[in-house]
Short mmCIF file of all heavy atoms in Angstrom, two decimals:
data_model
loop_
_atom_site.label_atom_id
_atom_site.label_comp_id
_atom_site.label_asym_id
_atom_site.label_seq_id
_atom_site.Cartn_x
_atom_site.Cartn_y
_atom_site.Cartn_z
N GLY A 1 0.81 -1.20 0.00
CA GLY A 1 -0.01 0.00 -0.01
C GLY A 1 0.84 1.25 0.00
O GLY A 1 2.03 1.23 0.29
N ASN A 2 0.22 2.41 -0.27
CA ASN A 2 0.94 3.67 -0.39
C ASN A 2 0.91 4.50 0.90
O ASN A 2 1.45 5.61 0.94
CB ASN A 2 0.40 4.50 -1.54
CG ASN A 2 -1.03 4.91 -1.37
OD1 ASN A 2 -1.70 4.64 -0.36
ND2 ASN A 2 -1.58 5.59 -2.37
N LEU A 3 0.26 4.01 1.94
CA LEU A 3 0.18 4.75 3.20
C LEU A 3 1.51 4.65 3.93
O LEU A 3 2.03 3.58 4.15
CB LEU A 3 -0.96 4.21 4.07
CG LEU A 3 -1.17 4.93 5.39
CD1 LEU A 3 -1.65 6.36 5.14
CD2 LEU A 3 -2.21 4.16 6.21
N GLY A 4 2.06 5.80 4.37
CA GLY A 4 3.30 5.80 5.11
C GLY A 4 3.09 5.37 6.57
O GLY A 4 1.97 5.30 7.08
N ILE A 5 4.17 5.10 7.23
CA ILE A 5 4.12 4.68 8.65
C ILE A 5 3.84 5.91 9.53
O ILE A 5 4.28 7.02 9.23
CB ILE A 5 5.43 3.96 9.03
CG1 ILE A 5 5.24 3.28 10.39
CG2 ILE A 5 6.62 4.92 9.06
CD1 ILE A 5 6.36 2.29 10.70
N ASN A 6 3.06 5.72 10.56
CA ASN A 6 2.66 6.80 11.51
C ASN A 6 2.11 8.00 10.77
O ASN A 6 2.47 9.14 11.03
CB ASN A 6 3.86 7.22 12.37
CG ASN A 6 4.33 6.09 13.23
OD1 ASN A 6 3.56 5.20 13.64
ND2 ASN A 6 5.63 6.08 13.56
N ALA A 7 1.18 7.80 9.85
CA ALA A 7 0.64 8.87 9.03
C ALA A 7 -0.45 9.66 9.73
O ALA A 7 -0.73 10.77 9.29
CB ALA A 7 0.06 8.27 7.74
N PHE A 8 -1.03 9.16 10.80
CA PHE A 8 -2.14 9.86 11.47
C PHE A 8 -1.88 9.97 12.97
O PHE A 8 -1.18 9.13 13.54
CB PHE A 8 -3.46 9.12 11.21
CG PHE A 8 -3.78 8.94 9.78
CD1 PHE A 8 -3.67 7.71 9.19
CD2 PHE A 8 -4.18 10.03 9.01
CE1 PHE A 8 -3.93 7.52 7.85
CE2 PHE A 8 -4.43 9.85 7.67
CZ PHE A 8 -4.33 8.60 7.10
N LYS A 9 -2.54 10.93 13.57
CA LYS A 9 -2.45 11.15 15.02
C LYS A 9 -3.74 10.68 15.65
O LYS A 9 -4.83 10.86 15.11
CB LYS A 9 -2.22 12.61 15.37
CG LYS A 9 -0.85 13.09 14.96
CD LYS A 9 -0.63 14.49 15.46
CE LYS A 9 0.77 14.95 15.07
NZ LYS A 9 1.06 16.26 15.61
N GLY A 10 -3.61 10.08 16.85
CA GLY A 10 -4.77 9.63 17.58
C GLY A 10 -5.33 10.76 18.43
O GLY A 10 -4.89 11.93 18.31
N PRO A 11 -6.29 10.47 19.31
CA PRO A 11 -6.93 11.50 20.11
C PRO A 11 -6.00 12.18 21.12
O PRO A 11 -6.27 13.29 21.55
CB PRO A 11 -8.05 10.75 20.85
CG PRO A 11 -8.22 9.48 20.11
CD PRO A 11 -6.92 9.17 19.43
N GLY A 12 -4.92 11.53 21.50
CA GLY A 12 -3.97 12.16 22.46
C GLY A 12 -4.35 11.86 23.91
O GLY A 12 -5.39 11.27 24.19
N TYR A 13 -3.47 12.29 24.77
CA TYR A 13 -3.65 12.04 26.20
C TYR A 13 -3.33 13.32 26.97
O TYR A 13 -2.37 14.01 26.71
CB TYR A 13 -2.69 10.93 26.65
CG TYR A 13 -2.72 10.66 28.14
CD1 TYR A 13 -3.73 9.90 28.71
CD2 TYR A 13 -1.74 11.21 28.98
CE1 TYR A 13 -3.78 9.69 30.08
CE2 TYR A 13 -1.79 10.99 30.34
CZ TYR A 13 -2.80 10.24 30.88
OH TYR A 13 -2.85 10.04 32.24
N LEU A 14 -4.19 13.63 27.92
CA LEU A 14 -3.98 14.77 28.79
C LEU A 14 -4.32 14.31 30.20
O LEU A 14 -5.50 14.00 30.46
CB LEU A 14 -4.80 15.97 28.39
CG LEU A 14 -4.71 17.18 29.33
CD1 LEU A 14 -3.31 17.76 29.26
CD2 LEU A 14 -5.73 18.21 28.96
N GLY A 15 -3.32 14.22 31.05
CA GLY A 15 -3.60 13.73 32.42
C GLY A 15 -3.08 14.73 33.43
O GLY A 15 -2.13 15.47 33.20
N PHE A 16 -3.72 14.73 34.57
CA PHE A 16 -3.30 15.59 35.69
C PHE A 16 -3.33 14.71 36.92
O PHE A 16 -4.38 14.34 37.41
CB PHE A 16 -4.26 16.79 35.83
CG PHE A 16 -3.83 17.77 36.88
CD1 PHE A 16 -2.72 18.57 36.66
CD2 PHE A 16 -4.54 17.89 38.07
CE1 PHE A 16 -2.32 19.47 37.63
CE2 PHE A 16 -4.15 18.79 39.02
CZ PHE A 16 -3.04 19.58 38.79
N ASP A 17 -2.13 14.37 37.40
CA ASP A 17 -1.96 13.51 38.57
C ASP A 17 -1.41 14.34 39.73
O ASP A 17 -0.57 15.22 39.55
CB ASP A 17 -1.00 12.37 38.27
CG ASP A 17 -1.45 11.53 37.06
OD1 ASP A 17 -2.63 11.53 36.76
OD2 ASP A 17 -0.61 10.86 36.48
N VAL A 18 -1.89 14.06 40.94
CA VAL A 18 -1.41 14.79 42.13
C VAL A 18 -1.15 13.77 43.25
O VAL A 18 -1.76 12.68 43.29
CB VAL A 18 -2.44 15.84 42.63
CG1 VAL A 18 -2.58 16.95 41.60
CG2 VAL A 18 -3.76 15.23 42.95
N ALA A 19 -0.29 14.18 44.16
CA ALA A 19 -0.02 13.37 45.35
C ALA A 19 0.31 14.30 46.49
O ALA A 19 0.98 15.34 46.33
CB ALA A 19 1.16 12.44 45.11
N VAL A 20 -0.18 13.97 47.66
CA VAL A 20 0.03 14.74 48.89
C VAL A 20 0.50 13.75 49.97
O VAL A 20 -0.11 12.74 50.18
CB VAL A 20 -1.26 15.46 49.36
CG1 VAL A 20 -1.02 16.21 50.67
CG2 VAL A 20 -1.74 16.42 48.30
N VAL A 21 1.63 14.13 50.62
CA VAL A 21 2.19 13.29 51.68
C VAL A 21 2.40 14.16 52.90
O VAL A 21 2.90 15.27 52.81
CB VAL A 21 3.54 12.67 51.24
CG1 VAL A 21 4.11 11.81 52.35
CG2 VAL A 21 3.37 11.84 49.98
N ARG A 22 2.01 13.63 54.04
CA ARG A 22 2.22 14.35 55.30
C ARG A 22 2.64 13.34 56.36
O ARG A 22 2.06 12.28 56.53
CB ARG A 22 0.89 15.02 55.68
CG ARG A 22 0.89 15.67 57.03
CD ARG A 22 1.74 16.92 57.04
NE ARG A 22 1.96 17.30 58.42
CZ ARG A 22 1.94 18.54 58.83
NH1 ARG A 22 1.75 19.51 57.99
NH2 ARG A 22 2.16 18.82 60.08
N SER A 23 3.73 13.71 57.11
CA SER A 23 4.21 12.87 58.21
C SER A 23 3.89 13.52 59.55
O SER A 23 4.04 14.72 59.71
CB SER A 23 5.75 12.68 58.09
OG SER A 23 6.07 11.94 56.96
N PHE A 24 3.46 12.65 60.48
CA PHE A 24 3.14 13.13 61.80
C PHE A 24 4.04 12.39 62.81
O PHE A 24 3.90 11.17 62.96
CB PHE A 24 1.68 12.83 62.15
CG PHE A 24 0.70 13.47 61.23
CD1 PHE A 24 0.16 12.77 60.12
CD2 PHE A 24 0.30 14.78 61.38
CE1 PHE A 24 -0.72 13.34 59.27
CE2 PHE A 24 -0.58 15.37 60.51
CZ PHE A 24 -1.10 14.67 59.45
N PRO A 25 4.93 13.11 63.48
CA PRO A 25 5.79 12.40 64.47
C PRO A 25 4.97 11.99 65.69
O PRO A 25 4.12 12.75 66.19
CB PRO A 25 6.83 13.45 64.83
CG PRO A 25 6.25 14.76 64.45
CD PRO A 25 5.26 14.49 63.36
N ILE A 26 5.23 10.79 66.19
CA ILE A 26 4.52 10.29 67.35
C ILE A 26 5.48 10.26 68.54
O ILE A 26 5.22 10.88 69.57
CB ILE A 26 3.96 8.89 67.10
CG1 ILE A 26 2.91 8.98 65.98
CG2 ILE A 26 3.34 8.30 68.35
CD1 ILE A 26 2.34 7.66 65.56
N ARG A 27 6.61 9.59 68.38
CA ARG A 27 7.69 9.57 69.37
C ARG A 27 9.00 9.78 68.62
O ARG A 27 9.00 10.02 67.42
CB ARG A 27 7.68 8.24 70.11
CG ARG A 27 6.45 8.07 70.95
CD ARG A 27 6.65 7.00 71.96
NE ARG A 27 5.48 6.97 72.86
CZ ARG A 27 5.01 5.94 73.42
NH1 ARG A 27 5.62 4.78 73.27
NH2 ARG A 27 3.97 6.01 74.20
N GLU A 28 10.10 9.57 69.35
CA GLU A 28 11.39 9.87 68.72
C GLU A 28 11.65 9.03 67.47
O GLU A 28 12.14 9.54 66.48
CB GLU A 28 12.51 9.58 69.78
CG GLU A 28 13.87 9.95 69.29
CD GLU A 28 14.91 9.76 70.36
OE1 GLU A 28 14.61 9.98 71.53
OE2 GLU A 28 16.03 9.36 70.00
N ARG A 29 11.31 7.78 67.48
CA ARG A 29 11.58 6.89 66.34
C ARG A 29 10.32 6.40 65.67
O ARG A 29 10.37 5.47 64.85
CB ARG A 29 12.41 5.69 66.78
CG ARG A 29 13.80 6.04 67.19
CD ARG A 29 14.54 4.78 67.54
NE ARG A 29 15.96 4.99 67.45
CZ ARG A 29 16.83 4.04 67.47
NH1 ARG A 29 16.45 2.78 67.53
NH2 ARG A 29 18.12 4.30 67.41
N GLN A 30 9.22 6.96 65.95
CA GLN A 30 7.94 6.54 65.37
C GLN A 30 7.24 7.70 64.69
O GLN A 30 7.26 8.82 65.23
CB GLN A 30 7.04 5.95 66.46
CG GLN A 30 7.59 4.74 67.15
CD GLN A 30 6.70 4.32 68.30
OE1 GLN A 30 5.85 5.05 68.79
NE2 GLN A 30 6.91 3.09 68.76
N LYS A 31 6.67 7.43 63.57
CA LYS A 31 5.88 8.45 62.90
C LYS A 31 4.77 7.80 62.07
O LYS A 31 4.90 6.62 61.67
CB LYS A 31 6.74 9.39 62.07
CG LYS A 31 7.42 8.74 60.90
CD LYS A 31 8.20 9.80 60.15
CE LYS A 31 9.00 9.17 59.02
NZ LYS A 31 9.75 10.13 58.25
N LEU A 32 3.77 8.57 61.82
CA LEU A 32 2.66 8.13 61.02
C LEU A 32 2.66 8.96 59.74
O LEU A 32 2.78 10.17 59.78
CB LEU A 32 1.36 8.38 61.78
CG LEU A 32 0.09 7.73 61.27
CD1 LEU A 32 0.22 6.21 61.34
CD2 LEU A 32 -1.10 8.15 62.13
N GLU A 33 2.56 8.26 58.60
CA GLU A 33 2.62 8.95 57.34
C GLU A 33 1.30 8.73 56.59
O GLU A 33 0.83 7.61 56.44
CB GLU A 33 3.76 8.39 56.51
CG GLU A 33 3.98 9.08 55.18
CD GLU A 33 5.14 8.50 54.41
OE1 GLU A 33 6.30 8.85 54.74
OE2 GLU A 33 4.91 7.70 53.49
N PHE A 34 0.71 9.83 56.14
CA PHE A 34 -0.53 9.81 55.39
C PHE A 34 -0.22 10.21 53.94
O PHE A 34 0.53 11.16 53.70
CB PHE A 34 -1.55 10.80 55.97
CG PHE A 34 -2.79 10.94 55.13
CD1 PHE A 34 -3.75 9.94 55.12
CD2 PHE A 34 -2.96 12.07 54.37
CE1 PHE A 34 -4.87 10.07 54.34
CE2 PHE A 34 -4.10 12.21 53.59
CZ PHE A 34 -5.07 11.21 53.57
N ARG A 35 -0.77 9.50 52.99
CA ARG A 35 -0.54 9.77 51.56
C ARG A 35 -1.86 9.68 50.83
O ARG A 35 -2.62 8.74 50.98
CB ARG A 35 0.45 8.75 51.01
CG ARG A 35 0.80 8.94 49.58
CD ARG A 35 1.89 7.95 49.15
NE ARG A 35 2.38 8.30 47.84
CZ ARG A 35 3.44 9.06 47.63
NH1 ARG A 35 4.11 9.54 48.65
NH2 ARG A 35 3.84 9.35 46.40
N ALA A 36 -2.11 10.69 49.98
CA ALA A 36 -3.30 10.72 49.11
C ALA A 36 -2.80 10.93 47.67
O ALA A 36 -2.01 11.83 47.44
CB ALA A 36 -4.26 11.82 49.52
N GLU A 37 -3.28 10.11 46.75
CA GLU A 37 -2.86 10.21 45.37
C GLU A 37 -4.11 10.23 44.47
O GLU A 37 -5.09 9.52 44.73
CB GLU A 37 -1.98 9.05 44.95
CG GLU A 37 -0.68 8.99 45.72
CD GLU A 37 0.14 7.75 45.39
OE1 GLU A 37 -0.48 6.70 45.08
OE2 GLU A 37 1.36 7.85 45.48
N GLY A 38 -4.03 11.00 43.43
CA GLY A 38 -5.13 11.06 42.47
C GLY A 38 -4.56 11.02 41.06
O GLY A 38 -3.64 11.74 40.73
#
């Protein structure tokens, strides 16, 4: 056939990803970590 390789573009991708991390100290060697990701 006469069609070249990669001749057309698809719909594309647009993403927005986020992450939030927070650490809470409990004692000298202990901590609690909360993480939220979207």
